[in-house]
Structure formats: C-alpha cells, structure tokens
Amino acid sequence: MPGTEATPQVEDGTANAPRPDRRARRRLETIEEILDIAVEVMGEEGVNGLSLAEVARRLGVQPPSLYKYFPSLMAVYDALFLRGQLQHLDALRDAMSRADPGLPALCSGLDASGRWALEHRAVAQLLFWRPVPSFEPSPEAFAPSIEMVALQRAALADAVAAGQLGPGANAEEAVYLVSTMISGVLTQAFANEPGLQWGEGRFTPLFPKLMALLPAAFPVSGGPPAVWRPAP
Amino acid sequence: MPGTEATPQVEDGTANAPRPDRRARRRLETIEEILDIAVEVMGEEGVNGLSLAEVARRLGVQPPSLYKYFPSLMAVYDALFLRGQLQHLDALRDAMSRADPGLPALCSGLDASGRWALEHRAVAQLLFWRPVPSFEPSPEAFAPSIEMVALQRAALADAVAAGQLGPGANAEEAVYLVSTMISGVLTQAFANEPGLQWGEGRFTPLFPKLMALLPAAFPVSGGPPAVWRPAP
DNA sequence: GTCTATAGCCTGATAGAC
DNA sequence: GTCTATCAGGCTATAGAC
C-alpha cells in the first residue's frame, strides 16, 4: 500500500536508505525468482527432486541465504502450491467467462485447465497428484481449490437450468465425475507422453469425447442411466 | 528343474554341502523378502522414498549385503516393476476369464484391475504413474503391459462382434479411452482418499458409471458420436 | 554371503562474522 | 542479506576381511 510511509521520496530512490517499499518489492522479486527456479528444478529432477541446494546453485547464492526467504523446504513447496493454485484458477475462470454459461463454459474451462496443466507439468503434479508424502499444503494454499470446485459446480447447475444436462448433474457426484475425466487424461499424458502438448498424442484428444459423454451420463429425459454392476 | 544334479540327496539335506537347488531356492526367497520390504517402505515413504539402506535396516542386514542380490537401486525398482506387472496382469486376466466375453469381461477385468491397484498402491504408482524420473523400466519388465493392452483390445473386439458396442470400439482409440477412465478414477482415489478401499469414497464408485458410458461413446447404430469442439 | 570400513556424494538447517 | 563454516545426517556403492 503506497503512502503508508510518512517520508515521501523520489521515485528512482538514490537516497542513502532505500525506500521500504522498494526493498520489499525487491524481496518479492527474489522470492518469485526462487520459485521460478524451483519449478525448473522440479521439471528436470521430478517434483520430489527439488532441493534448496540446487536452487541456490542456480540462483548463484549459498544455500543458507535462501533461509532468509523461506524457513524450510516445505515452505517453498507451500508457496509453489499456492502460486500454482492461483494461476490454475485464473486460467479456469478466464476460459469459463469467455464461453456461454453452462456446458460450454464447463468444457472451455476444463480445456483451459488441461492446457495449463500440460504447460506446467511439475506444478500440476504437485497440486493434484500429491507426490511428496511429507508435504501437506497449508489451508491458505489449499483455499483456491475450493473456489475451483465451486466454479465447476455452478457451471453444471447452469447446464441443468439450461436443459443441457439432466438434473443428475446437480449432484455432488457430477463434479467428481468431471474431475475424474480430466484427471485421467492428464495422468495418461504425463506418464506416457512427456513433451507433447495439449491436443497432441493419444490421450489429450480424448478430452472432447469425454465431455461429449456428459449428456449421456446425465440424460435430460429423466430415468436413471444404466450402470454396469460388478459381480459379487 | 529337479534331477539336473548327478548326486541325489535326502530331502531335508543335512549333508555337508547344501543341494544347489536348495541354495537357489533360499536365494529366491531372500529376493522376494527384499521386494516385499521395498513395497512396505514405498508405502510409507512414497515411491521415491525407497532406499536400500532402509530395506537393509528392516531386513536386519547391512546395506552392502543387498548388493549380492541386486546390483543397484534401479535394479530393485525394475524387479518391483516386473513383479507388479505380472501380478496385475494375473488379476486382470483372471477376472476377465470369469465373465462373459465382450463388455462384461472388459468391465470385470478393469474392476479387478482397479481393485488390485488400490490394494497395491505403491506398486501401482510405480507401474502407471512413473514417479521416479531416473527410473526407466527395462523392456523385459515392460513386456507384460503389452499383453495387458492386447487383452483389453480383444475384449473390445468381442464386444463389437457381439453387438454390445459399435464398430468405433475397434479403433486404437477405444483402448486409450478405457484406460483413461480407469486411470482417472485411480488417480483421484490415490490423491484424495488415502486408506479407502475400492468401492468406497467419492471416486471409485464412479467406475461403473464410466463403463456404462461406453455404449454412448461407441454407439451401435452407426453415425459418429457428438464431440464438443474447443474454441480456437 | 555376511560383515566392517569407508569413499564420496548429497541433503536440510543453524551459528555467527561481516 | 550475504557470506563461511559446520553440524548432523542421509544415501549409493565399493573394497576387502572372514
């Protein structure tokens, strides 16, 4: 918040003491740089392969210096988690707002979600695959994902209201079904097609086909959909 | 193969030198024990958390002793991968053979596959999620997965022949669609519902519903199914 | 096949000078 | 906020005695 300090100062601040907010900004830039490098390391060594020593090496500082910015390795993971959630939420919301409400918004949003995940593989795995057993995201870092679910649920409700999907899509289950579909596509792409973009390969092109199954999963004309039942 | 040795010996073998095949059997038992402990460790520390030192500790030997059985940590991963593939293939094949050919066999097989994965989470992740970047399975360890795909493809072909699915299910794509569905269910269950069994929770009960969508994905009465098309 | 001993690497984290 | 130095521990893997 500018103007908090009582002593005004010129903008390029060549005074003896740097303006406090300038120092703070510089600090934030360093933090962002640390996180960027951490993402880079995770991409090469795997999400678990992140080490502060490697980050320090690439940043050109000694490992202890990083502890001025993050109190522990887990705090770095948490910051990565939060930043990733916010970025992903932005991508989802933006794509949803550009499409018609209801099913189109849902499909566009998930399409953007999948695209984001493939462009940020390491972070996406940290967010949705939980590959670091000793890391549990803090409630603050986890919060955006609640908003994400709410957006999808609202889009499903719009689709029901618009007659694009049957009333079954209002159930809790519908959100889980949709997230399971996108999750399957991304898992297969990650595991079997490293390096390919969204829309390429054997798996991500399946996403539109899966979305096209939603009306069959939640038929408009009443009556429960058929379910295959496993033998006991 | 018994009888290979020229010198016959009593079965409980208290002679000076143990029978060679007895020694070999004992060695195989030790190898199995090492792999069992490795699975246990992965379950607690994550797939990446496997370390030979920890295995040795639990086995009650010193770490160097393990190198008499496996030349490296990656060789242990590879043995785990192969054993897991074979176990999983057995579960799949067995369940398929107990159901009617075609769609029932496919659904039963995948049901058993999912059940196996949830009962062997750590190994399943090693097989299908590839969480250890530095580990690439050997061709021999990977071979059973080719058989697995062949089984599923054959069941889909049977389903088409029986009129349960349309001809689209004969395409390569159909196997990928099915594997994507099961993969999504398992990913969500692993990440969000540790400790739950197959059939419990929010995600694994979705599997029958997903299978029930296959006839909609590959309709019998010709004509391409609708596809949602992302905006450019 | 088991052990001791050890090389040679890595890590996270802290203390304290500047 | 940076550094040096260091602790305390982990790991894979090898050499060589028994």
Side-chain angles (χ1 to χ4, degrees), chain A residues 62 64-65 68-69:
Chain A
Q62 294 298 320
S65 302
K68 295 290 176 184
Y69 299 94

mmCIF file of all heavy atoms in Angstrom, chain A residues 62 64-65 68-69, chain D residues 1-5:
data_model
loop_
_atom_site.group_PDB
_atom_site.id
_atom_site.type_symbol
_atom_site.label_atom_id
_atom_site.label_comp_id
_atom_site.label_asym_id
_atom_site.label_seq_id
_atom_site.Cartn_x
_atom_site.Cartn_y
_atom_site.Cartn_z
ATOM 1 N N GLN A 62 24.605 -18.928 -1.855
ATOM 2 C CA GLN A 62 24.870 -20.070 -0.999
ATOM 3 C C GLN A 62 23.557 -20.525 -0.353
ATOM 4 O O GLN A 62 22.682 -19.699 -0.067
ATOM 5 C CB GLN A 62 25.886 -19.700 0.075
ATOM 6 C CG GLN A 62 27.267 -19.388 -0.486
ATOM 7 C CD GLN A 62 27.895 -20.577 -1.196
ATOM 8 O OE1 GLN A 62 27.776 -21.704 -0.726
ATOM 9 N NE2 GLN A 62 28.521 -20.332 -2.333
ATOM 10 N N PRO A 64 22.443 -21.230 2.592
ATOM 11 C CA PRO A 64 21.864 -20.575 3.773
ATOM 12 C C PRO A 64 21.097 -19.305 3.445
ATOM 13 O O PRO A 64 20.175 -18.936 4.168
ATOM 14 C CB PRO A 64 23.087 -20.275 4.648
ATOM 15 C CG PRO A 64 24.085 -21.284 4.251
ATOM 16 C CD PRO A 64 23.886 -21.483 2.771
ATOM 17 N N SER A 65 21.485 -18.633 2.361
ATOM 18 C CA SER A 65 20.809 -17.379 2.023
ATOM 19 C C SER A 65 19.324 -17.598 1.747
ATOM 20 O O SER A 65 18.503 -16.709 1.994
ATOM 21 C CB SER A 65 21.467 -16.763 0.790
ATOM 22 O OG SER A 65 22.836 -16.533 1.021
ATOM 23 N N LYS A 68 16.606 -16.888 4.340
ATOM 24 C CA LYS A 68 16.088 -15.545 4.625
ATOM 25 C C LYS A 68 14.745 -15.335 3.948
ATOM 26 O O LYS A 68 14.010 -14.406 4.271
ATOM 27 C CB LYS A 68 17.077 -14.490 4.145
ATOM 28 C CG LYS A 68 18.399 -14.509 4.876
ATOM 29 C CD LYS A 68 18.225 -14.024 6.306
ATOM 30 C CE LYS A 68 19.540 -14.143 7.066
ATOM 31 N NZ LYS A 68 19.372 -13.761 8.491
ATOM 32 N N TYR A 69 14.423 -16.193 2.982
ATOM 33 C CA TYR A 69 13.179 -16.031 2.228
ATOM 34 C C TYR A 69 12.159 -17.109 2.555
ATOM 35 O O TYR A 69 10.961 -16.867 2.524
ATOM 36 C CB TYR A 69 13.486 -16.051 0.721
ATOM 37 C CG TYR A 69 14.416 -14.936 0.315
ATOM 38 C CD1 TYR A 69 15.791 -15.133 0.246
ATOM 39 C CD2 TYR A 69 13.916 -13.674 0.031
ATOM 40 C CE1 TYR A 69 16.645 -14.102 -0.111
ATOM 41 C CE2 TYR A 69 14.762 -12.640 -0.328
ATOM 42 C CZ TYR A 69 16.123 -12.865 -0.398
ATOM 43 O OH TYR A 69 16.952 -11.844 -0.739
ATOM 44 P P DG D 1 15.855 -8.399 2.667
ATOM 45 O OP1 DG D 1 15.185 -8.037 1.479
ATOM 46 O OP2 DG D 1 15.425 -9.090 3.840
ATOM 47 O "O5'" DG D 1 17.255 -9.069 2.252
ATOM 48 C "C5'" DG D 1 18.354 -8.303 2.708
ATOM 49 C "C4'" DG D 1 19.606 -8.838 2.102
ATOM 50 O "O4'" DG D 1 20.664 -8.748 3.085
ATOM 51 C "C3'" DG D 1 19.576 -10.307 1.700
ATOM 52 O "O3'" DG D 1 20.494 -10.477 0.632
ATOM 53 C "C2'" DG D 1 20.076 -11.010 2.952
ATOM 54 C "C1'" DG D 1 21.128 -10.035 3.428
ATOM 55 N N9 DG D 1 21.371 -10.039 4.874
ATOM 56 C C8 DG D 1 20.482 -10.245 5.884
ATOM 57 N N7 DG D 1 21.036 -10.186 7.068
ATOM 58 C C5 DG D 1 22.383 -9.935 6.819
ATOM 59 C C6 DG D 1 23.479 -9.764 7.705
ATOM 60 O O6 DG D 1 23.484 -9.820 8.921
ATOM 61 N N1 DG D 1 24.664 -9.508 6.996
ATOM 62 C C2 DG D 1 24.756 -9.414 5.644
ATOM 63 N N2 DG D 1 25.951 -9.163 5.155
ATOM 64 N N3 DG D 1 23.739 -9.572 4.810
ATOM 65 C C4 DG D 1 22.585 -9.836 5.466
ATOM 66 P P DT D 2 20.443 -11.722 -0.312
ATOM 67 O OP1 DT D 2 20.306 -11.255 -1.712
ATOM 68 O OP2 DT D 2 19.471 -12.685 0.224
ATOM 69 O "O5'" DT D 2 21.906 -12.329 -0.161
ATOM 70 C "C5'" DT D 2 23.005 -11.590 -0.682
ATOM 71 C "C4'" DT D 2 24.241 -11.832 0.121
ATOM 72 O "O4'" DT D 2 24.015 -11.523 1.526
ATOM 73 C "C3'" DT D 2 24.733 -13.265 0.191
ATOM 74 O "O3'" DT D 2 25.452 -13.631 -0.953
ATOM 75 C "C2'" DT D 2 25.642 -13.221 1.413
ATOM 76 C "C1'" DT D 2 25.108 -12.049 2.237
ATOM 77 N N1 DT D 2 24.671 -12.451 3.602
ATOM 78 C C2 DT D 2 25.589 -12.434 4.625
ATOM 79 O O2 DT D 2 26.748 -12.134 4.475
ATOM 80 N N3 DT D 2 25.093 -12.815 5.852
ATOM 81 C C4 DT D 2 23.798 -13.193 6.141
ATOM 82 O O4 DT D 2 23.465 -13.509 7.283
ATOM 83 C C5 DT D 2 22.886 -13.182 5.026
ATOM 84 C C7 DT D 2 21.457 -13.591 5.224
ATOM 85 C C6 DT D 2 23.355 -12.813 3.818
ATOM 86 P P DC D 3 25.936 -15.145 -1.109
ATOM 87 O OP1 DC D 3 26.550 -15.277 -2.447
ATOM 88 O OP2 DC D 3 24.799 -15.994 -0.737
ATOM 89 O "O5'" DC D 3 27.072 -15.302 0.002
ATOM 90 C "C5'" DC D 3 28.327 -14.656 -0.192
ATOM 91 C "C4'" DC D 3 29.140 -14.734 1.090
ATOM 92 O "O4'" DC D 3 28.338 -14.297 2.198
ATOM 93 C "C3'" DC D 3 29.588 -16.126 1.475
ATOM 94 O "O3'" DC D 3 30.839 -16.408 0.867
ATOM 95 C "C2'" DC D 3 29.712 -16.040 2.988
ATOM 96 C "C1'" DC D 3 28.725 -14.952 3.382
ATOM 97 N N1 DC D 3 27.497 -15.442 4.076
ATOM 98 C C2 DC D 3 27.508 -15.635 5.463
ATOM 99 O O2 DC D 3 28.561 -15.405 6.083
ATOM 100 N N3 DC D 3 26.391 -16.070 6.096
ATOM 101 C C4 DC D 3 25.283 -16.306 5.375
ATOM 102 N N4 DC D 3 24.199 -16.724 6.032
ATOM 103 C C5 DC D 3 25.241 -16.120 3.960
ATOM 104 C C6 DC D 3 26.357 -15.700 3.352
ATOM 105 P P DT D 4 31.332 -17.907 0.793
ATOM 106 O OP1 DT D 4 32.462 -17.976 -0.159
ATOM 107 O OP2 DT D 4 30.150 -18.766 0.616
ATOM 108 O "O5'" DT D 4 31.887 -18.159 2.266
ATOM 109 C "C5'" DT D 4 32.893 -17.299 2.823
ATOM 110 C "C4'" DT D 4 33.278 -17.802 4.197
ATOM 111 O "O4'" DT D 4 32.139 -17.729 5.077
ATOM 112 C "C3'" DT D 4 33.745 -19.265 4.233
ATOM 113 O "O3'" DT D 4 34.831 -19.402 5.140
ATOM 114 C "C2'" DT D 4 32.512 -20.016 4.709
ATOM 115 C "C1'" DT D 4 31.858 -19.005 5.632
ATOM 116 N N1 DT D 4 30.369 -19.131 5.716
ATOM 117 C C2 DT D 4 29.761 -19.278 6.939
ATOM 118 O O2 DT D 4 30.359 -19.314 7.984
ATOM 119 N N3 DT D 4 28.392 -19.383 6.885
ATOM 120 C C4 DT D 4 27.600 -19.352 5.752
ATOM 121 O O4 DT D 4 26.377 -19.457 5.840
ATOM 122 C C5 DT D 4 28.304 -19.205 4.508
ATOM 123 C C7 DT D 4 27.523 -19.156 3.230
ATOM 124 C C6 DT D 4 29.637 -19.106 4.536
ATOM 125 P P DA D 5 35.652 -20.774 5.173
ATOM 126 O OP1 DA D 5 37.056 -20.461 5.508
ATOM 127 O OP2 DA D 5 35.336 -21.555 3.959
ATOM 128 O "O5'" DA D 5 34.991 -21.496 6.419
ATOM 129 C "C5'" DA D 5 34.623 -20.734 7.569
ATOM 130 C "C4'" DA D 5 33.863 -21.625 8.539
ATOM 131 O "O4'" DA D 5 32.446 -21.522 8.300
ATOM 132 C "C3'" DA D 5 34.216 -23.118 8.431
ATOM 133 O "O3'" DA D 5 34.555 -23.616 9.710
ATOM 134 C "C2'" DA D 5 32.949 -23.750 7.852
ATOM 135 C "C1'" DA D 5 31.877 -22.805 8.359
ATOM 136 N N9 DA D 5 30.657 -22.787 7.528
ATOM 137 C C8 DA D 5 30.593 -22.760 6.170
ATOM 138 N N7 DA D 5 29.358 -22.763 5.693
ATOM 139 C C5 DA D 5 28.562 -22.802 6.826
ATOM 140 C C6 DA D 5 27.177 -22.822 7.018
ATOM 141 N N6 DA D 5 26.305 -22.810 6.013
ATOM 142 N N1 DA D 5 26.721 -22.848 8.292
ATOM 143 C C2 DA D 5 27.604 -22.874 9.307
ATOM 144 N N3 DA D 5 28.932 -22.855 9.247
ATOM 145 C C4 DA D 5 29.349 -22.816 7.967
#
